[in-house]
Every structure is written in C-alpha cells, then in structure tokens.
Amino acid sequence: MNRYIRSQQDFAAGLLFIGIAIGVLWMGWSYPTGTAVRMSAGYFPRLLGGILLLLGLIVFVGSF
C-alpha cells in the first residue's frame, strides 16, 4: 500500500482531520440544530464538523 501513497504527511493529516471531524459530529449530534436563521446549539459544531470532514477527504484523496 505504501507505493500508492505519494505523500505520507497528507495521508496522515487527512486521516487526522477525518477522525476529528467524526468526533465533533458525534459529540454535537445530540444538540438541536435549528435553522440558518435561528441557529441552535448544534448548528455550529455540525457545520464545522462537515467542513473539516470535507477538507480531510480532499487531503486524504490527494495523497494518492
């Protein structure tokens, strides 16, 4: 598998971002979300977790 990975640092960073994002999304899942106009306590963690997950996937896929 090592010969398919171009950048070990990007691979590890992508996995780290994905792991943190899953943790943030899991911890914030029990909070009510609300709407974009009336945000509740769970809106910001879900938004940041989703953005971090997307970034992690981009970095992870880019490492191959």
Side-chain angles (χ1 to χ4, degrees), residues 2-3 5-6 9 12 19 24 26 30 33 35-36 41 50 58-59:
N2 229 1
R3 63 182 173 170
I5 300 172
R6 285 192 327 213
Q9 290 176 333
V24 167
W26 179 68
S30 62
T33 305
T35 62
I58 290 170
V59 171

Side-chain angles (χ1 to χ4, degrees), residues 9-11 13 22 32 36-37 47-48 52 58:
Q9 290 176 333
D10 287 348
F11 182 80
I22 289 172
V37 176
L47 180 67
L48 284 183
L52 188 60
I58 290 170

Side-chain angles (χ1 to χ4, degrees), residues 18-55:
I18 291 170
I20 292 172
I22 289 172
V24 167
L25 288 171
W26 179 68
M27 288 172 39
W29 200 257
S30 62
Y31 296 125
T33 305
T35 62
V37 176
R38 297 186 65 116
M39 295 178 206
S40 191
Y43 191 88
F44 194 64
R46 286 187 190 178
L47 180 67
L48 284 183
I51 291 170
L52 188 60
L53 182 65
L54 181 64
L55 178 66

